[in-house]
């Protein structure tokens, strides 16, 4: 990767606050454009840390994220380190397994390791000579009017830097966003869902995967669920999503086993009784928050991206993909307006806010689908209908999941189109059913059956029932 030479010699300074996934990828984007990029991360360098703190829910990389990685030459490397998942594998209470494909043949999402991906992106950012990574730098204060920022290190020392653009990529509890909250006409909301999550591990058996690896495994139980994603070390990371009050009812190891015997009996031999009793109490259930805000910018000096702008619950597998798409959308707008921040930042807010709000809503909806709807025969029937119609009319009728996961259709447009399609398909099914009823009625009227022939078998059936009940 080389620094671009077709930019002005006087470089603008871009300060990226947050060295997580979106921050590290953003550093690559800005460095590629020739900006002087400085990344500031509160934590130590995770590439050298013995224990990496933070969330570890497996990530599902799909088309939007891959497109952003491709833009900075990272797609092939990351894809080679992931595991393709071609379908959901639904585990019933009886242990039966039923696959539900994600899309057309050949379409898949990738299970990727969060920590490894973050390390790869930091290393990629560091290869640009115009990028400097600064770890152990906690943001203490900043000024939108001047671009002046103050950071504090763990030893108590301070450092000030001035930036032409401040990019807040510092997560759902963003320090950058706190300044936004002090300004008028900034809309902000956060919603904690009543469900938490807990991670467990299914180890390999004889060095191999203990379940089929190329699936996202789901145990839907209506009000809660468990999922499992494959890892390259042949383990599965299981995540149990459940209301907090249900987590709190389980207080002993025996109660853990009793709970799993009731709802996830097929996983007990896979996880192991002792491991279940131990790991369930290793960490308490963690909360999940959905954040919406607007605008994403202040003047021409600061902009929010990733979870700092739109934290979403993890049920559509789009949190990282949406954050990565932020990077490529911003880059496209920089191209459109020749790096003029005074025009680029308002345009980014205008374009991106409705999409990020839409994916936040879709992520909430998909939790209900994953834990409950996949058990429904009507849901499965509609899936077949949707896929069949998509096969017949690939450009006219596109399933929602396909639009969200395998295209860059804007999220809010995908949501609107899905609502329209759903209404049209349901009407079509209703008309078809109504037509079948009227057609059947017409045939019965034109060709009435012999009633005498129907009465005799009916009488025999009734007599048999009476005999059984009295025996």
């Amino acid at each position: 990767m080389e620094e671009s030479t077709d930019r002005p010699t006087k470089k603008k300074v871009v300060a990226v606050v947050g060295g997580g996934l979106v921050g590290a990828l953003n550093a690559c984007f800005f460095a590629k454009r020739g900006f002087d990029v400085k990344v500031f991360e509160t934590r130590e360098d995770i590439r050298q840390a013995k224990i990496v703190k933070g969330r570890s829910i497996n990530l599902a990389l799909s088309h939007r994220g891959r497109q952003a990685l491709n833009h900075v030459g990272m797609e092939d490397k990351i894809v080679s380190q992931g595991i393709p998942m071609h379908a959901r594998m639904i585990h019933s209470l009886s242990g039966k397994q039923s696959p539900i494909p994600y899309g057309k043949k050949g379409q898949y999402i990738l299970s990727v390791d969060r920590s490894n991906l973050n390390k790869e992106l930091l290393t990629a950012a560091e290869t640009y000579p115009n990028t400097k990574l600064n770890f152990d730098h906690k943001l203490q204060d900043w000024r939108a009017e001047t671009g002046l920022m103050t950071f504090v290190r763990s030893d108590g020392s301070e450092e000030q830097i001035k930036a032409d653009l401040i990019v807040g990529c510092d997560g759902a509890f963003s320090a950058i966003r706190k300044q936004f909250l002090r300004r008028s006409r900034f809309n902000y909301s956060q919603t904690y869902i009543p469900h938490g999550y807990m991670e467990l591990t299914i180890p390999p058996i004889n060095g191999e995967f203990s379940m089929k690896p190329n699936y996202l495994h789901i145990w839907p139980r209506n009000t809660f669920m468990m999922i499992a994603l494959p890892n390259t070390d042949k383990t599965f990371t299981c995540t149990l999503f459940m209301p907090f009050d249900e987590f709190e009812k389980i207080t002993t190891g025996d109660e853990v086993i009793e709970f799993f015997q009731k709802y996830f009996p097929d996983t007990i031999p896979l996880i192991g009784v002792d491991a279940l009793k131990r790991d369930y109490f290793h960490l308490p259930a963690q909360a999940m928050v959905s954040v919406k805000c607007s605008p994403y910018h202040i003047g021409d000096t600061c902009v929010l991206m990733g979870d700092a702008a739109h934290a979403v619950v993890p049920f559509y597998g789009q949190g990282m993909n949406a954050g990565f798409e932020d990077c490529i959308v911003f880059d496209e707008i920089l191209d459109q307006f020749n790096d003029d921040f005074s025009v680029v930042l308002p345009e980014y807010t205008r374009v991106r806010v409705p999409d990020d709000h839409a994916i936040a809503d879709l992520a909430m909806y998909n939790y209900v689908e994953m834990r409950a709807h996949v058990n429904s025969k009507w849901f499965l029937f509609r899936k077949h209908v949707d896929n069949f119609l998509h096969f017949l009319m690939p450009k006219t009728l596109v399933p929602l999941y396909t639009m969200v996961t395998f295209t860059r259709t804007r999220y809010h447009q995908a949501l609107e189109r899905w609502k329209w399609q759903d209404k049209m398909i349901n009407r079509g099914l209703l008309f078809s059913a109504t037509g079948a009823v009227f057609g059947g009625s017409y045939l019965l009227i034109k060709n009435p059956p012999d009633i005498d022939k129907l009465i005799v078998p009916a009488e025999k059936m009734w007599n048999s029932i009476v005999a059984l009940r009295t025996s």
Side-chain angles (χ1 to χ4, degrees):
M1 298 177 187
E2 297 181 356
E3 182 183 349
S4 173
T5 57
D6 59 350
R7 302 281 165 187
T9 54
K10 186 180 178 181
K11 297 175 185 175
K12 290 182 179 179
V13 176
V14 174
V16 178
V17 180
L21 297 173
V22 175
L25 180 61
N26 243 328
C28 296
F29 270 85
F30 284 111
K32 188 180 178 188
R33 296 190 74 87
F35 293 110
D36 186 4
V37 182
K38 301 181 187 300
V39 179
F40 297 92
E41 169 57 45
T42 302
R43 300 171 297 173
E44 63 180 315
D45 188 341
I46 62 170
R47 295 169 296 176
Q48 298 167 9
K50 292 180 180 178
I51 299 175
V52 179
K53 297 179 180 178
R55 293 184 301 168
S56 58
I57 291 179
N58 283 59
L59 301 169
L61 178 66
S62 55
H63 180 74
R64 296 169 199 267
R66 290 180 63 164
Q67 287 291 294
L69 291 169
N70 180 64
H71 196 78
V72 295
M74 290 293 292
E75 182 185 12
D76 290 343
K77 185 170 189 177
I78 300 305
V79 168
S80 70
Q81 297 170 355
I83 298 177
M85 298 182 293
H86 298 274
R88 296 169 173 171
M89 182 66 80
I90 308 303
H91 294 248
S92 71
L93 199 55
S94 66
K96 181 185 176 184
Q97 298 183 26
S98 308
I100 303 178
Y102 279 123
K104 293 183 289 189
K105 188 175 181 180
Q107 289 182 324
Y108 59 86
I109 59 178
L110 276 162
S111 174
V112 297
D113 178 81
R114 176 189 294 271
S115 178
N116 181 67
L117 176 56
N118 203 166
K119 291 174 184 178
E120 293 284 5
L121 291 174
L122 287 170
T123 299
E126 213 167 33
T127 62
Y128 292 92
N130 49 327
T131 297
K132 183 182 179 184
L133 305 182
N134 301 275
F135 299 98
D136 185 26
H137 277 63
K138 184 176 182 179
L139 182 67
Q140 186 180 55
D141 194 21
W142 68 279
R143 292 285 178 266
E145 294 73 22
T146 62
L148 189 66
M149 314 173 75
T150 304
F151 294 92
V152 180
R153 299 189 188 92
S154 56
D155 62 6
S157 60
E158 291 188 359
E159 181 179 346
Q160 286 193 327
I161 96 137
K162 193 174 186 297
D164 296 289
L165 178 65
I166 300 168
V167 186
C169 302
D170 50 341
F173 305 102
S174 168
I176 291 289
R177 197 179 60 226
K178 288 179 182 178
Q179 288 277 10
F180 283 66
L181 290 167
R182 297 172 186 167
R183 307 176 78 89
S184 64
R185 299 171 65 193
F186 177 68
N187 299 306
Y188 172 81
S189 69
Q190 69 174 38
T191 304
Y192 280 96
I193 64 172
H195 296 68
Y197 72 90
M198 176 180 290
E199 292 195 345
L200 303 164
T201 302
I202 293 179
I205 296 177
N206 299 323
E208 293 299 328
F209 285 107
S210 59
M211 299 187 296
K212 294 178 180 178
N214 298 116
Y215 297 90
L216 192 158
H217 294 262
I218 306 177
W219 290 260
R221 299 299 180 257
N222 295 319
T223 58
F224 55 90
M225 70 172 182
M226 189 163 71
I227 66 172
L229 276 74
N231 300 307
T232 53
D233 63 359
K234 305 298 177 71
T235 64
F236 283 89
T237 299
C238 298
T239 309
L240 174 61
F241 297 97
M242 192 162 66
F244 277 102
D245 56 2
E246 294 295 328
F247 276 115
E248 291 159 4
K249 288 178 184 176
I250 301 171
T251 58
T252 68
D254 289 339
E255 287 175 347
V256 173
I257 301 305
E258 184 180 341
F259 172 79
F260 270 76
Q261 283 175 339
K262 185 176 181 179
Y263 293 109
F264 310 110
D266 57 329
T267 67
I268 296 176
L270 298 176
I271 299 173
V273 172
D274 292 338
L276 260 178
K277 288 182 176 181
R278 179 188 68 244
D279 295 347
Y280 188 91
F281 299 104
H282 179 63
L283 286 174
Q286 304 295 301
M288 290 173 284
V289 66
S290 180
V291 170
K292 291 181 180 179
C293 67
S294 177
Y296 287 167
H297 73 287
I298 294 177
D300 61 355
T301 57
C302 185
V303 65
L304 300 173
M305 295 194 201
D307 284 356
H310 50 81
V312 300
V313 292
F315 305 114
Y316 222 114
Q318 285 296 303
M320 172 189 64
N321 292 289
F324 281 6
E325 192 176 45
D326 288 347
C327 302
I328 199 168
V329 168
F330 195 84
D331 191 71
E332 289 165 350
I333 297 172
L334 283 169
D335 276 340
Q336 187 179 350
F337 296 105
N338 199 29
D339 295 352
D340 183 350
F341 294 154
S342 65
V343 183
V344 169
L345 269 62
E347 178 67 6
Y348 175 74
T349 284
R350 186 192 70 80
V351 168
R352 202 62 182 148
V353 166
D355 290 333
D356 292 332
H357 287 190
I359 193 57
D361 294 337
L362 282 170
M364 289 286 200
Y365 161 79
N366 210 48
Y367 184 34
V368 180
E369 177 174 304
M370 290 175 75
R371 63 181 165 83
H373 290 175
V374 292
N375 289 324
S376 160
K377 287 183 171 59
W378 171 254
F379 171 83
L380 297 174
F381 169 70
R382 273 301 309 270
K383 276 284 184 186
H384 289 305
V385 170
D386 292 352
N387 291 335
F388 178 68
L389 292 175
H390 179 50
F391 174 77
L392 293 179
M393 300 173 283
K395 293 184 179 179
T396 305
L397 293 172
V398 185
L400 174 64
Y401 193 89
T402 297
M403 287 188 282
V404 169
T405 308
F406 300 116
T407 77
R408 275 196 63 202
T409 303
R410 292 183 61 184
Y411 287 126
H412 84 278
Q413 292 176 348
L415 182 57
E416 290 168 0
R417 182 171 178 176
W418 170 60
K419 289 178 179 177
W420 174 82
Q421 287 180 175
D422 198 52
K423 186 186 295 184
M424 293 300 104
I425 293 171
N426 282 338
R427 283 181 181 176
L429 291 172
L430 178 63
F431 289 147
S432 298
T434 304
V437 169
F438 279 113
S441 301
Y442 175 77
L443 289 174
L444 284 172
I445 292 168
K446 294 289 289 182
N447 304 284
D450 189 334
I451 299 299
D452 292 335
K453 289 181 179 179
L454 292 175
I455 290 173
V456 173
E459 285 180 345
K460 287 182 179 178
M461 185 181 293
W462 175 251
N463 292 333
S464 299
I465 293 170
V466 171
L468 281 172
R469 293 192 64 181
T470 56
S471 63

